[in-house]
């Protein structure tokens, strides 16, 4: 409005001036004025074109309506730029969110070409973040199952895919359609879930199996006793002793299972209770000799005055398990050496407490050693069962020790013997009272 007013004012002034100059001069003046206006307009248009081409340059200025036009264009341009920035920020934020997802995410075209994928998807499926964009995913994830699922699978359910690249891992793959012909591929690593599920199934099967055998034996004896009321008392007593044996087996199994579940549920063992190891080792030595019944040469060497911070019942049960294994898996006449010591540590370090049980028994082949602490794992099922073993002993040892931040080290050679060593960290050792330079024998 203001510019229009200015324009009318100047036009009236110029009109009056031209009218006062006479026709010839007035025409010349009018022509010069029009030419100047045309040159100015062209120069402004050229500036405008340059600015549109490169908006980083300063906004052109002009007089009158030119200034209004430039200001309007500048405002529009600014609004456009802000909108573009907002859209770019939103896109980046979506990508960052998709990147941070624990799942693998791949966006695909309707014919399964990769548009984008996050780092997890790249790691799981073996894709290259930028280089593989635009490639068909079925050319990169080479699995007939995967290709079949993308082509004509039931996308309402995930596909469990074990990739040959590293067959050790299992992935759950699911395709979701969105927008027009766009696809989202979600990948989740379910190796651990699958492992736990297998362990749960095996556990139920093992418990049932271990209970079934003594129950069948018990039921058989009961039936025989019921059918033969006139059975001689001696034979009845023999049957009852065998039945009590089987019942004891079941009780032992249930007790072990309860111990294991209590240990698994717990966190670190408290450090405020003190376990005097001298009396504990005395008790263990007596129990060992009674279990062996004189069939082995058993030697205990214990550094006196050692106190451990932890739960006495758990430590006793772990030590007892290791000693009873040594006795059970060492043929008659073999040697079993139990040692407890806090050997001096290198300069500046605190000493750890070592408890070890070495036997001259049957030994364990190397391939079994990593699995020994699994629940129900036995090298030779038949032999363990003969000796009343259920394969829970070392699982209990492992959990009891891990609650005390202790480690179990196993060294063994088939036919030569086994040494199981438990190492407790210095923080668990409360007191070492060196009464004698050498160890004492516990009898
Ligand atoms: P239990 O639950 O009664 O302890 P178990 O002795 O069979 O039964 P673990 O103590 O867990 O179970 O031991 C697992 C397996 O490790 C045993 O079955 C045996 O095969 C092997 N093993 C353990 N200790 C020794 C050892 N000192 N010498 C040889 N084999 C051993
Ligand atoms: Mg055992």
């Amino acid at each position: 409005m203001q510019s229009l007013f200015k324009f009318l004012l100047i036009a009236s002034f110029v009109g009056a001036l031209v009218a006062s100059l006479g026709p010839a001069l007035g025409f010349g003046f009018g022509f010069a004025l029009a030419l100047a206006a045309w040159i100015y307009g062209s120069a402004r248009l050229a500036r405008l074109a340059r600015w549109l081409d490169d908006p980083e340059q300063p906004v052109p200025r002009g007089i009158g309506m030119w200034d209004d036009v430039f200001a309007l264009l500048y405002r529009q341009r600014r609004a456009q730029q802000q909108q573009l920035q907002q859209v770019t920020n939103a896109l980046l934020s979506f990508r960052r969110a998709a990147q941070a997802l624990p799942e693998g995410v791949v966006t695909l075209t309707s014919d399964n070409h990769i548009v984008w994928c996050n780092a997890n998807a790249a790691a799981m499926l073996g894709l290259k973040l930028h280089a593989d964009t635009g490639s068909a995913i079925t050319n990169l994830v080479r699995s007939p199952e995967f290709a079949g699922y993308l082509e004509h699978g039931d996308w309402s359910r995930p596909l469990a895919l074990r990739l040959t690249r590293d067959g050790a891992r299992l992935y759950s793959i699911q395709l979701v359609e969105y927008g027009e012909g766009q696809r989202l591929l979600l990948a989740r690593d379910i190796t651990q879930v699958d492992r736990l599920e297998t362990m749960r199934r095996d556990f139920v099967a093992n418990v049932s199996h271990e209970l079934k055998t003594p129950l069948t034996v018990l039921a058989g004896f009961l039936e025989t006793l019921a059918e033969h009321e006139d059975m001689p008392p001696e034979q009845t007593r023999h049957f009852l002793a065998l039945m009590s044996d089987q019942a004891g087996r079941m009780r032992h199994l249930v007790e072990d299972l309860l111990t294991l579940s209590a240990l698994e549920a717990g966190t670190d063992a408290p450090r405020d209770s003190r376990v005097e190891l001298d009396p504990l080792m005395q008790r263990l030595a007596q129990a060992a000799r009674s279990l062996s019944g004189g069939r082995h040469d058993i030697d205990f060497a214990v550094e006196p005055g050692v106190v451990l911070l932890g739960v006495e019942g758990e430590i006793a049960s772990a030590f007892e398990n290791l000693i009873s294994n040594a006795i059970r898996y060492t043929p008659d006449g073999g040697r079993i050496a139990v040692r407890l010591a806090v050997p001096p540590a290198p300069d500046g370090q605190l000493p750890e407490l070592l408890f070890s049980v070495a036997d001259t028994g049957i030994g364990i082949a190397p391939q079994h050693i990593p699995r020994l602490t699994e629940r129900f794992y036995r090298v030779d099922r038949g032999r363990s069962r003969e000796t009343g073993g259920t394969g829970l002993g070392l699982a209990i040892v492992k959990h009891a020790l891990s609650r005390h931040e202790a480690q179990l080290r196993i060294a063994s050679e088939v036919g030569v013997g086994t040494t199981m060593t438990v190492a407790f960290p210095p923080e668990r050792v409360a007191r070492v009272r060196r009464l004698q330079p050498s160890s004492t024998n516990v009898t």
Side-chain angles (χ1 to χ4, degrees), residues 225-246:
L225 285 173
E227 279 170 12
H228 302 87
E229 282 171 15
D230 53 344
M231 192 181 277
E234 236 168 68
Q235 198 169 357
T236 312
R237 265 200 302 279
H238 176 62
F239 274 18
L240 287 175
L242 291 174
M243 284 166 72
S244 150
D245 224 36
Q246 296 302 322

Side-chain angles (χ1 to χ4, degrees), residues 214-400:
L215 267 175
T216 314
V217 178
L218 269 178
F221 283 137
L222 281 173
E223 223 170 90
T224 319
L225 285 173
E227 279 170 12
H228 302 87
E229 282 171 15
D230 53 344
M231 192 181 277
E234 236 168 68
Q235 198 169 357
T236 312
R237 265 200 302 279
H238 176 62
F239 274 18
L240 287 175
L242 291 174
M243 284 166 72
S244 150
D245 224 36
Q246 296 302 322
R249 239 181 131 91
M250 287 198 290
R251 198 185 54 234
H252 180 68
L253 174 69
V254 172
E255 277 169 6
D256 275 0
L257 286 171
L258 288 174
T259 309
L260 200 56
S261 85
L263 288 172
E264 277 176 338
T267 47
D268 274 3
R271 286 193 191 178
D272 46 8
S273 42
R274 299 162 64 83
V275 184
E276 301 273 348
L277 293 184
D278 291 344
L280 174 67
M281 295 307 289
Q282 296 269 3
R283 286 202 306 278
L284 289 177
Q286 271 167 20
R289 292 186 214 292
S290 113
L291 181 64
S292 158
R295 291 175 292 125
H296 307 91
D297 170 12
I298 300 178
D299 173 47
F300 268 65
V302 176
E303 182 167 331
V306 183
V307 174
L308 193 69
L309 300 178
V311 181
E312 178 154 5
E314 293 178 18
I315 292 166
S317 147
F319 288 2
E320 204 179 329
N321 264 303
L322 297 179
I323 297 170
S324 75
N325 276 352
I327 295 171
R328 276 158 45 186
Y329 301 109
T330 302
D332 293 358
R335 249 182 71 86
I336 291 153
V338 180
R339 301 277 175 268
L340 184 122
V342 184
D347 275 352
Q349 287 179 30
L350 291 167
E352 53 179 16
L353 166 64
L354 299 179
F355 168 84
S356 67
V357 183
D359 63 53
T360 55
I362 58 174
I364 307 159
Q367 71 270 23
H368 296 293
I369 292 182
R371 300 198 57 193
L372 289 184
T373 56
E374 284 175 24
R375 293 179 296 189
F376 295 107
Y377 191 83
R378 281 156 291 187
V379 173
D380 177 347
R381 277 187 173 234
R383 188 187 175 116
S384 293
R385 213 171 274 131
E386 269 170 35
T387 60
T390 49
L392 289 176
L394 287 179
I396 293 175
V397 171
K398 180 182 119 179
H399 284 286

Side-chain angles (χ1 to χ4, degrees), residues 93-104:
S93 140
F94 271 120
R95 284 216 167 159
R96 263 185 238 123
Q99 197 65 268
L101 283 173
E103 277 91 16

Side-chain angles (χ1 to χ4, degrees), residues 155-222:
W155 299 335
S156 63
R157 291 152 180 266
L159 164 78
L161 184 69
R162 205 172 277 283
L163 288 178
T164 41
R165 194 172 52 87
D166 63 347
R169 303 214 77 78
L170 186 70
Y171 299 105
S172 161
I173 305 283
Q174 185 149 23
L175 197 69
V176 182
E177 277 193 301
Y178 71 101
E180 273 180 32
Q182 284 161 304
R183 294 171 167 195
L184 192 68
L185 187 104
L186 299 170
R188 209 154 53 87
D189 190 334
I190 53 165
T191 317
Q192 191 62 11
V193 180
D194 182 61
R195 210 171 280 157
L196 287 175
E197 180 53 26
T198 312
M199 270 170 68
R200 192 190 62 78
R201 268 201 309 270
D202 288 355
F203 180 70
V204 173
N206 276 317
V207 172
S208 317
H209 182 76
E210 292 302 327
L211 284 174
K212 207 174 136 198
T213 318
L215 267 175
T216 314
V217 178
L218 269 178
F221 283 137
L222 281 173

Side-chain angles (χ1 to χ4, degrees), residues 13-34:
F13 174 73
V14 170
L17 194 70
V18 169
S20 71
L21 289 175
L25 265 175
F27 179 76
F29 185 75
F31 179 76
L33 208 62

